[in-house]
Amino acid sequence: MELSVVVSTLNGRERLLPCLDALRTSVPASTEVVVVNGPSADGTTGAVRERDDVDVLVEISERNRNVSRNAGIEAATGDVVAFVGGEYAVDGGWYGALESASASGADVVTGPVRDGVGSPAGDDRSPSDPRPVRGRAVTGFDGDNVAFDREVIEALDGFDEYLETGGAKDCAHRVAAMGYDVTWSGGMAARHEVGTDGGRLERNWGVCYRSLGYRLAKNYGLGPTVLARAAGSALRDASQEVRAVATGDSTPTGWVGNGAAVVRSTARGLRDGRSARGEDGGQRRNPHGLSARQDRAVRQYDLR
């Protein structure tokens, strides 16, 4: 297995260094490590260039994880391309699990992503069981801990750069549509190193629901099932927000504002998704993918 690991980072220098340290101790020296750095202002570039275990550093100007992933695909040369978020550290058995699955002919391999150091094995954010969606068995995966056979990721044309969030979810639906299999390996685990604030950024409802509407319309069209799925998701989140208002964790004004953002953003996503479906009528459904442009990299350093 000739492996390339693409590590995406944005203003995450302090968490990127443990990520790279974990890769250094967990994968063979022959593994190609590609770091894709967004417009960081925290010294990430200098810190990466000082290391001897990074092969390629790609600088991009956009704050979009899917642009970062596609830039990494362009720079990577391995016949298996893995993606690891810069804020994650792979476990010691990560490489062995991936190698075993790849040797068995796996198209896509993924494993658990755990929040926090030492979190229990059941506290995984990636689902392992397929979900039926409009006749497809869709197996989800976390885009910060997944590996693709080179031919598969190229057939998918990488990730959809329209999406600010949900790129891996979109990719999972397209993987299923094109008949590829996702192999789940419990040994291919990564953990999220929680920052000093102890948590994650607050959810941007507008971005999330524009992504949801887009993904549904692009992959499945604007049928009643799609509209019902979008509405059901909005109702579930709305009920959670009502509980947050009741407990004082949110305000009525905030709840109303979030609801308006959800409606507007879902409508926009459905509209843009329908247009994208028309642009790419094939199974890969990716008009904003890897082949759409060649100007992602602002600068590229070959550190070998």
Side-chain angles (χ1 to χ4, degrees):
M1 179 176 69
E2 296 181 3
L3 174 65
S4 295
V5 181
V6 175
V7 181
S8 296
T9 186
L10 171 62
N11 284 325
R13 177 181 177 275
E14 295 305 317
R15 288 180 291 181
L16 173 65
L17 300 182
C19 169
L20 296 176
D21 290 342
L23 284 171
R24 179 166 54 192
T25 60
S26 302
V27 303
S30 59
T31 300
E32 180 182 58
V33 177
V34 179
V35 174
V36 185
N37 182 34
S40 297
D42 64 349
T44 296
T45 299
V48 172
R49 293 186 67 186
E50 290 175 358
R51 299 182 67 100
D52 59 5
D53 55 354
V54 175
D55 297 287
V56 182
L57 170 62
V58 182
E59 301 278 352
I60 63 174
S61 62
E62 297 170 62
R63 294 172 169 268
N64 184 313
R65 186 60 64 98
N66 297 307
V67 174
S68 178
R69 290 167 178 152
N70 284 347
I73 297 170
E74 289 180 310
T77 62
D79 55 25
V80 175
V81 182
F83 300 89
V84 176
E87 62 272 30
Y88 296 82
V90 300
D91 286 355
W94 185 88
Y95 178 83
L98 171 55
E99 183 181 42
S100 177
S102 179
S104 299
D107 298 320
V108 184
V109 191
T110 191
V113 175
R114 295 169 183 147
D115 288 327
V117 179
S119 60
D123 188 22
D124 300 336
R125 290 196 290 108
S126 298
S128 58
D129 297 325
R131 293 187 303 115
V133 182
R134 295 285 296 272
R136 300 178 192 171
V138 180
T139 301
F141 51 80
D142 193 303
D144 290 318
N145 184 32
V146 64
F148 295 79
D149 179 89
R150 162 71 72 170
E151 292 184 2
V152 172
I153 196 62
E154 290 184 349
L156 291 163
D157 204 23
F159 293 84
D160 191 327
E161 296 179 9
Y162 171 94
L163 293 164
E164 297 178 54
T165 187
K169 292 180 180 179
D170 171 72
C171 190
H173 287 270
R174 296 188 293 110
V175 164
M178 296 185 72
Y180 296 120
D181 294 324
V182 177
T183 298
W184 174 268
S185 176
M188 188 179 158
R191 64 186 182 275
H192 180 266
E193 303 291 2
V194 179
T196 55
D197 63 352
R200 297 175 179 274
L201 295 176
E202 185 177 350
R203 190 175 188 186
N204 185 319
W205 294 104
V207 170
C208 290
Y209 272 88
R210 179 161 62 90
S211 169
L212 175 64
Y214 176 85
R215 297 193 318 263
L216 289 172
K218 184 188 70 165
N219 287 299
Y220 301 102
L222 287 180
T225 304
V226 164
L227 298 177
R229 185 176 289 268
S233 180
L235 288 172
R236 285 192 297 273
D237 285 332
S239 65
Q240 291 178 3
E241 283 292 289
V242 168
R243 287 195 291 271
V245 171
T247 59
D249 293 330
S250 184
T251 65
T253 301
W255 180 78
V256 172
N258 287 334
V262 164
V263 172
R264 290 194 304 269
S265 299
T266 303
R268 179 182 173 188
L270 290 169
R271 180 198 66 196
D272 292 349
R274 181 178 61 181
S275 297
R277 186 175 177 85
E279 290 179 51
D280 186 347
Q283 290 297 315
R284 74 180 188 182
R285 302 287 184 197
N286 196 7
H288 308 290
L290 184 63
S291 63
R293 51 185 290 205
Q294 305 295 324
D295 61 347
R296 296 178 185 88
V298 174
R299 189 166 186 178
Q300 182 165 314
Y301 301 91
D302 191 327
L303 306 179
R304 286 167 283 209

mmCIF file of all heavy atoms in Angstrom, residues 166-196:
data_model
loop_
_atom_site.group_PDB
_atom_site.id
_atom_site.type_symbol
_atom_site.label_atom_id
_atom_site.label_comp_id
_atom_site.label_asym_id
_atom_site.label_seq_id
_atom_site.Cartn_x
_atom_site.Cartn_y
_atom_site.Cartn_z
ATOM 1 N N GLY A 166 -20.675 19.466 5.923
ATOM 2 C CA GLY A 166 -21.407 18.322 5.389
ATOM 3 C C GLY A 166 -20.797 17.713 4.145
ATOM 4 O O GLY A 166 -21.455 16.921 3.465
ATOM 5 N N GLY A 167 -19.539 18.034 3.847
ATOM 6 C CA GLY A 167 -18.912 17.478 2.651
ATOM 7 C C GLY A 167 -18.770 15.971 2.708
ATOM 8 O O GLY A 167 -18.944 15.278 1.695
ATOM 9 N N ALA A 168 -18.471 15.429 3.885
ATOM 10 C CA ALA A 168 -18.332 13.985 4.015
ATOM 11 C C ALA A 168 -19.688 13.292 3.892
ATOM 12 O O ALA A 168 -19.794 12.209 3.311
ATOM 13 C CB ALA A 168 -17.675 13.645 5.350
ATOM 14 N N LYS A 169 -20.745 13.906 4.450
ATOM 15 C CA LYS A 169 -22.087 13.329 4.321
ATOM 16 C C LYS A 169 -22.495 13.257 2.852
ATOM 17 O O LYS A 169 -23.035 12.255 2.388
ATOM 18 C CB LYS A 169 -23.096 14.157 5.109
ATOM 19 C CG LYS A 169 -22.909 14.093 6.608
ATOM 20 C CD LYS A 169 -23.946 14.947 7.321
ATOM 21 C CE LYS A 169 -23.762 14.881 8.833
ATOM 22 N NZ LYS A 169 -24.753 15.735 9.542
ATOM 23 N N ASP A 170 -22.242 14.335 2.126
ATOM 24 C CA ASP A 170 -22.542 14.355 0.701
ATOM 25 C C ASP A 170 -21.768 13.271 -0.027
ATOM 26 O O ASP A 170 -22.312 12.537 -0.851
ATOM 27 C CB ASP A 170 -22.204 15.730 0.130
ATOM 28 C CG ASP A 170 -22.291 15.773 -1.386
ATOM 29 O OD1 ASP A 170 -23.417 15.740 -1.915
ATOM 30 O OD2 ASP A 170 -21.225 15.822 -2.049
ATOM 31 N N CYS A 171 -20.493 13.145 0.308
ATOM 32 C CA CYS A 171 -19.647 12.151 -0.341
ATOM 33 C C CYS A 171 -20.150 10.738 -0.059
ATOM 34 O O CYS A 171 -20.140 9.882 -0.948
ATOM 35 C CB CYS A 171 -18.205 12.317 0.146
ATOM 36 S SG CYS A 171 -16.999 11.349 -0.779
ATOM 37 N N ALA A 172 -20.617 10.488 1.153
ATOM 38 C CA ALA A 172 -21.123 9.159 1.498
ATOM 39 C C ALA A 172 -22.323 8.776 0.636
ATOM 40 O O ALA A 172 -22.449 7.620 0.209
ATOM 41 C CB ALA A 172 -21.500 9.112 2.978
ATOM 42 N N HIS A 173 -23.205 9.732 0.372
ATOM 43 C CA HIS A 173 -24.356 9.451 -0.490
ATOM 44 C C HIS A 173 -23.908 9.164 -1.923
ATOM 45 O O HIS A 173 -24.462 8.290 -2.596
ATOM 46 C CB HIS A 173 -25.336 10.623 -0.464
ATOM 47 C CG HIS A 173 -26.111 10.726 0.806
ATOM 48 N ND1 HIS A 173 -27.321 10.093 1.001
ATOM 49 C CD2 HIS A 173 -25.853 11.380 1.974
ATOM 50 C CE1 HIS A 173 -27.773 10.347 2.220
ATOM 51 N NE2 HIS A 173 -26.901 11.124 2.829
ATOM 52 N N ARG A 174 -22.897 9.879 -2.380
ATOM 53 C CA ARG A 174 -22.408 9.650 -3.742
ATOM 54 C C ARG A 174 -21.636 8.343 -3.853
ATOM 55 O O ARG A 174 -21.675 7.668 -4.887
ATOM 56 C CB ARG A 174 -21.550 10.841 -4.184
ATOM 57 C CG ARG A 174 -22.355 12.133 -4.264
ATOM 58 C CD ARG A 174 -21.599 13.288 -4.881
ATOM 59 N NE ARG A 174 -20.475 13.752 -4.078
ATOM 60 C CZ ARG A 174 -19.201 13.605 -4.390
ATOM 61 N NH1 ARG A 174 -18.860 12.975 -5.516
ATOM 62 N NH2 ARG A 174 -18.247 14.084 -3.608
ATOM 63 N N VAL A 175 -20.920 7.977 -2.790
ATOM 64 C CA VAL A 175 -20.253 6.671 -2.750
ATOM 65 C C VAL A 175 -21.277 5.557 -2.930
ATOM 66 O O VAL A 175 -21.087 4.625 -3.724
ATOM 67 C CB VAL A 175 -19.489 6.500 -1.410
ATOM 68 C CG1 VAL A 175 -19.128 5.037 -1.174
ATOM 69 C CG2 VAL A 175 -18.228 7.358 -1.402
ATOM 70 N N ALA A 176 -22.400 5.659 -2.202
ATOM 71 C CA ALA A 176 -23.451 4.645 -2.306
ATOM 72 C C ALA A 176 -24.075 4.635 -3.700
ATOM 73 O O ALA A 176 -24.342 3.570 -4.267
ATOM 74 C CB ALA A 176 -24.523 4.899 -1.249
ATOM 75 N N ALA A 177 -24.297 5.817 -4.268
ATOM 76 C CA ALA A 177 -24.923 5.904 -5.590
ATOM 77 C C ALA A 177 -24.059 5.264 -6.669
ATOM 78 O O ALA A 177 -24.572 4.682 -7.628
ATOM 79 C CB ALA A 177 -25.191 7.368 -5.940
ATOM 80 N N MET A 178 -22.740 5.348 -6.493
ATOM 81 C CA MET A 178 -21.831 4.805 -7.502
ATOM 82 C C MET A 178 -21.473 3.349 -7.249
ATOM 83 O O MET A 178 -20.673 2.758 -7.983
ATOM 84 C CB MET A 178 -20.569 5.662 -7.579
ATOM 85 C CG MET A 178 -20.843 7.090 -8.053
ATOM 86 S SD MET A 178 -19.349 8.091 -8.286
ATOM 87 C CE MET A 178 -18.655 7.337 -9.771
ATOM 88 N N GLY A 179 -22.060 2.764 -6.205
ATOM 89 C CA GLY A 179 -21.886 1.336 -5.969
ATOM 90 C C GLY A 179 -20.625 0.947 -5.229
ATOM 91 O O GLY A 179 -20.259 -0.238 -5.208
ATOM 92 N N TYR A 180 -19.961 1.890 -4.597
ATOM 93 C CA TYR A 180 -18.773 1.565 -3.814
ATOM 94 C C TYR A 180 -19.179 1.190 -2.393
ATOM 95 O O TYR A 180 -20.220 1.601 -1.882
ATOM 96 C CB TYR A 180 -17.806 2.753 -3.779
ATOM 97 C CG TYR A 180 -17.246 3.129 -5.123
ATOM 98 C CD1 TYR A 180 -17.461 4.399 -5.659
ATOM 99 C CD2 TYR A 180 -16.509 2.219 -5.875
ATOM 100 C CE1 TYR A 180 -16.957 4.754 -6.898
ATOM 101 C CE2 TYR A 180 -15.997 2.560 -7.119
ATOM 102 C CZ TYR A 180 -16.226 3.836 -7.622
ATOM 103 O OH TYR A 180 -15.718 4.179 -8.850
ATOM 104 N N ASP A 181 -18.299 0.434 -1.744
ATOM 105 C CA ASP A 181 -18.553 -0.015 -0.385
ATOM 106 C C ASP A 181 -17.701 0.762 0.603
ATOM 107 O O ASP A 181 -16.565 1.125 0.314
ATOM 108 C CB ASP A 181 -18.242 -1.509 -0.231
ATOM 109 C CG ASP A 181 -19.194 -2.378 -1.039
ATOM 110 O OD1 ASP A 181 -20.387 -2.013 -1.125
ATOM 111 O OD2 ASP A 181 -18.746 -3.408 -1.586
ATOM 112 N N VAL A 182 -18.256 0.989 1.792
ATOM 113 C CA VAL A 182 -17.522 1.601 2.895
ATOM 114 C C VAL A 182 -17.246 0.521 3.933
ATOM 115 O O VAL A 182 -18.170 -0.114 4.440
ATOM 116 C CB VAL A 182 -18.308 2.754 3.534
ATOM 117 C CG1 VAL A 182 -17.549 3.327 4.735
ATOM 118 C CG2 VAL A 182 -18.589 3.853 2.512
ATOM 119 N N THR A 183 -15.970 0.307 4.218
ATOM 120 C CA THR A 183 -15.558 -0.691 5.205
ATOM 121 C C THR A 183 -15.302 -0.007 6.539
ATOM 122 O O THR A 183 -14.538 0.953 6.612
ATOM 123 C CB THR A 183 -14.287 -1.421 4.743
ATOM 124 O OG1 THR A 183 -14.555 -2.109 3.516
ATOM 125 C CG2 THR A 183 -13.822 -2.427 5.787
ATOM 126 N N TRP A 184 -15.953 -0.490 7.576
ATOM 127 C CA TRP A 184 -15.775 0.048 8.918
ATOM 128 C C TRP A 184 -14.755 -0.808 9.664
ATOM 129 O O TRP A 184 -14.885 -2.021 9.746
ATOM 130 C CB TRP A 184 -17.102 0.042 9.660
ATOM 131 C CG TRP A 184 -16.987 0.456 11.099
ATOM 132 C CD1 TRP A 184 -16.790 -0.368 12.175
ATOM 133 C CD2 TRP A 184 -17.052 1.777 11.606
ATOM 134 N NE1 TRP A 184 -16.741 0.367 13.326
ATOM 135 C CE2 TRP A 184 -16.888 1.689 13.011
ATOM 136 C CE3 TRP A 184 -17.237 3.035 11.024
ATOM 137 C CZ2 TRP A 184 -16.904 2.806 13.844
ATOM 138 C CZ3 TRP A 184 -17.252 4.152 11.857
ATOM 139 C CH2 TRP A 184 -17.092 4.032 13.236
ATOM 140 N N SER A 185 -13.722 -0.161 10.221
ATOM 141 C CA SER A 185 -12.710 -0.864 11.001
ATOM 142 C C SER A 185 -12.560 -0.178 12.350
ATOM 143 O O SER A 185 -12.145 0.983 12.420
ATOM 144 C CB SER A 185 -11.365 -0.873 10.261
ATOM 145 O OG SER A 185 -10.368 -1.469 11.062
ATOM 146 N N GLY A 186 -12.889 -0.905 13.406
ATOM 147 C CA GLY A 186 -12.790 -0.333 14.735
ATOM 148 C C GLY A 186 -11.380 0.049 15.120
ATOM 149 O O GLY A 186 -11.166 0.929 15.963
ATOM 150 N N GLY A 187 -10.372 -0.589 14.506
ATOM 151 C CA GLY A 187 -8.983 -0.275 14.818
ATOM 152 C C GLY A 187 -8.478 0.996 14.178
ATOM 153 O O GLY A 187 -7.449 1.545 14.597
ATOM 154 N N MET A 188 -9.192 1.483 13.159
ATOM 155 C CA MET A 188 -8.767 2.709 12.475
ATOM 156 C C MET A 188 -9.377 3.901 13.207
ATOM 157 O O MET A 188 -10.245 4.604 12.698
ATOM 158 C CB MET A 188 -9.202 2.678 11.012
ATOM 159 C CG MET A 188 -8.643 3.811 10.168
ATOM 160 S SD MET A 188 -9.187 3.667 8.453
ATOM 161 C CE MET A 188 -9.000 5.362 7.894
ATOM 162 N N ALA A 189 -8.892 4.142 14.415
ATOM 163 C CA ALA A 189 -9.514 5.136 15.284
ATOM 164 C C ALA A 189 -8.670 6.395 15.378
ATOM 165 O O ALA A 189 -7.449 6.371 15.269
ATOM 166 C CB ALA A 189 -9.717 4.555 16.681
ATOM 167 N N ALA A 190 -9.360 7.508 15.576
ATOM 168 C CA ALA A 190 -8.709 8.795 15.807
ATOM 169 C C ALA A 190 -9.447 9.488 16.937
ATOM 170 O O ALA A 190 -10.632 9.240 17.167
ATOM 171 C CB ALA A 190 -8.725 9.653 14.541
ATOM 172 N N ARG A 191 -8.755 10.343 17.648
ATOM 173 C CA ARG A 191 -9.381 11.054 18.761
ATOM 174 C C ARG A 191 -9.223 12.553 18.554
ATOM 175 O O ARG A 191 -8.213 13.029 18.046
ATOM 176 C CB ARG A 191 -8.773 10.623 20.095
ATOM 177 C CG ARG A 191 -7.309 10.962 20.255
ATOM 178 C CD ARG A 191 -6.727 10.385 21.551
ATOM 179 N NE ARG A 191 -5.330 10.766 21.717
ATOM 180 C CZ ARG A 191 -4.302 10.110 21.184
ATOM 181 N NH1 ARG A 191 -4.523 9.047 20.438
ATOM 182 N NH2 ARG A 191 -3.064 10.525 21.377
ATOM 183 N N HIS A 192 -10.239 13.267 18.975
ATOM 184 C CA HIS A 192 -10.228 14.715 18.879
ATOM 185 C C HIS A 192 -9.611 15.297 20.130
ATOM 186 O O HIS A 192 -10.039 15.008 21.246
ATOM 187 C CB HIS A 192 -11.661 15.242 18.721
ATOM 188 C CG HIS A 192 -11.762 16.724 18.611
ATOM 189 N ND1 HIS A 192 -11.982 17.535 19.703
ATOM 190 C CD2 HIS A 192 -11.655 17.549 17.545
ATOM 191 C CE1 HIS A 192 -12.015 18.799 19.299
ATOM 192 N NE2 HIS A 192 -11.819 18.833 18.014
ATOM 193 N N GLU A 193 -8.568 16.093 19.938
ATOM 194 C CA GLU A 193 -7.919 16.731 21.077
ATOM 195 C C GLU A 193 -8.682 18.012 21.399
ATOM 196 O O GLU A 193 -8.552 19.024 20.710
ATOM 197 C CB GLU A 193 -6.457 17.057 20.745
ATOM 198 C CG GLU A 193 -5.639 15.840 20.332
ATOM 199 C CD GLU A 193 -5.389 14.874 21.483
ATOM 200 O OE1 GLU A 193 -5.887 15.129 22.585
ATOM 201 O OE2 GLU A 193 -4.702 13.873 21.276
ATOM 202 N N VAL A 194 -9.518 17.986 22.437
ATOM 203 C CA VAL A 194 -10.357 19.121 22.774
ATOM 204 C C VAL A 194 -9.494 20.300 23.165
ATOM 205 O O VAL A 194 -8.531 20.168 23.906
ATOM 206 C CB VAL A 194 -11.314 18.761 23.932
ATOM 207 C CG1 VAL A 194 -12.180 19.947 24.307
ATOM 208 C CG2 VAL A 194 -12.192 17.584 23.527
ATOM 209 N N GLY A 195 -9.847 21.494 22.646
ATOM 210 C CA GLY A 195 -9.075 22.694 22.905
ATOM 211 C C GLY A 195 -9.243 23.197 24.323
ATOM 212 O O GLY A 195 -10.001 22.648 25.129
ATOM 213 N N THR A 196 -8.548 24.268 24.643
ATOM 214 C CA THR A 196 -8.550 24.785 26.005
ATOM 215 C C THR A 196 -9.915 25.321 26.429
ATOM 216 O O THR A 196 -10.196 25.455 27.608
ATOM 217 C CB THR A 196 -7.520 25.914 26.145
ATOM 218 O OG1 THR A 196 -7.802 26.927 25.153
ATOM 219 C CG2 THR A 196 -6.125 25.387 25.922
#
